[in-house]
Structure formats: C-alpha cells, structure tokens
C-alpha cells in the first residue's frame, strides 16, 4: 500500500481510534498519507440524511463562500487536520498531506481517495451506545461504496 487516506473529524471516537490508525500506518509504511476532514455545511440531520440535492449543496457552498461562518468552519477544519498531522509526524510518519473538503462526508472521502490515488481508506466507526451493533452511516457508506480496501477502526 503506497498511499493511505485517513478520514478524521472532531469526535471522541476519532481521537480514541487514531492511535490504531497510526500503528497501522507504521506497519504499512506508506509512501504518503492523506488526512481528510469534511466540513458539514449544515446541521447533522441535513448532511447525514442527504436531504440536499447536488444543486442545493452547490448553492449552499456558494452562499457560504467568504462569510464569517465559512471562515469559522475553515479555521476549525485546519486545526483538526493539523492536530492529527502532528500526531502522525511525532510518530515518525512525515509524508502527510492534509485535505479539507465540504459536503456529504462519505461522498467527499471517496472523492478525495480517488483524486489522491489512495490504496487504502481508514475511517472510524461511530462511537455510540449502539456501536457494538451498527457501524456509523459514513463508515458504512464508505465501506460499501469504495472500490479500494477500507479499514474501519473502532
């Protein structure tokens, strides 16, 4: 595996699972690692349930461009990817690229993996009371849709 893409977010589940992501990358020894964070542009229910059509999503992205709200989202996203990049670099993994995208998380993770030519996607599972029964909707969609291997870390 030459290129690994790791999807990150600001949840406790990702922070807890990231140690395993780091260990996996140390074993795999990829040439490059891409950290991808997807900004959800609106409330959780809108993005997770895919209530917005492609044209509505485009309109929303355009409307938010240059606003204080978008600047706050960008600042938060940058802080998150830099945090995880530093963890990888502190472990000796130095070829790390950060990617920030906007939209539906599963779709954007898959698009980033394709654009980067990734050989493996690592994504966390949802950390809830029912996590022993169900994967998160994003990890499930990525695993079911990807045409490359997907590692789901809990």
């Amino acid at each position: 595996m030459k290129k690994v893409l790791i999807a990150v977010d600001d949840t406790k589940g990702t922070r807890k699972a990231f140690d395993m992501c780091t260990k996996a990358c140390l074993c795999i020894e990829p040439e490059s690692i891409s950290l991808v964070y997807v900004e959800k542009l609106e409330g959780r229910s809108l993005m997770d349930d895919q209530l917005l059509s492609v044209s509505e999503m485009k309109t929303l992205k355009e409307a938010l461009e240059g606003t204080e709200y978008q600047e706050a989202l960008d600042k938060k996203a940058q802080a998150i990817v830099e945090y995880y990049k530093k963890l990888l670099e502190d472990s000796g993994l130095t070829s790390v690229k950060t990617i920030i995208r906007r939209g539906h998380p599963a779709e954007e993770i898959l698009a980033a993996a394709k654009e980067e030519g990734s050989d493996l996607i690592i994504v966390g599972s949802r950390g809830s009371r029912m996590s022993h029964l169900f994967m998160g909707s994003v990890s499930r969609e990525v695993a079911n849709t990807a045409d490359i291997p997907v590692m789901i870390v809990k």
Side-chain angles (χ1 to χ4, degrees):
M1 308 257 163
K2 294 181 180 182
K3 296 183 176 187
V4 174
L5 181 133
I6 304 172
V8 296
D9 61 22
D10 61 344
T11 63
K12 288 181 186 177
T14 296
R15 286 190 296 275
K16 286 171 50 178
F18 201 75
D19 183 52
M20 181 57 71
C21 295
T22 303
K23 288 177 183 175
C25 288
L26 287 168
C27 290
I28 295 169
E29 298 180 351
E31 289 177 5
S32 66
I33 300 170
S34 298
L35 290 173
V36 64
Y37 175 85
V38 181
E39 294 177 348
K40 289 184 177 184
L41 298 178
E42 196 44 60
R44 183 179 194 129
S45 61
L46 283 178
M47 297 304 297
D48 288 345
D49 294 337
Q50 298 186 40
L51 294 177
L52 297 177
S53 69
V54 173
S55 62
E56 290 171 322
M57 180 64 70
K58 183 180 179 199
T59 301
L60 180 57
K61 286 179 183 179
E62 290 170 356
L64 290 175
E65 201 63 43
T67 65
E68 287 182 28
Y69 180 74
Q70 185 60 57
E71 288 175 19
L73 286 175
D74 292 343
K75 186 176 179 180
K76 176 183 174 183
Q78 192 63 43
I80 291 167
V81 294
E82 290 301 323
Y83 170 81
Y84 288 111
K85 180 179 181 179
K86 183 173 180 347
L87 289 179
L88 290 172
E89 290 174 341
D90 289 349
S91 297
L93 298 161
T94 57
S95 184
V96 182
K97 175 181 181 178
T98 61
I99 300 167
I100 299 170
R101 297 181 69 105
R102 298 179 189 137
H104 183 270
E107 291 172 5
E108 295 300 327
I109 290 166
L110 292 166
K114 187 172 188 169
E115 289 170 15
E116 294 300 311
S118 301
D119 302 303
L120 172 68
I121 298 170
I122 302 176
V123 63
S125 67
R126 179 177 55 199
S128 69
R129 290 181 287 182
M130 300 296 283
S131 63
H132 64 286
L133 298 175
F134 303 105
M135 286 187 289
S137 59
V138 171
S139 57
R140 182 178 54 246
E141 187 174 344
V142 169
N144 290 339
T145 310
D147 56 3
I148 61 173
V150 177
M151 177 188 294
I152 299 175
V153 180
K154 184 173 178 179

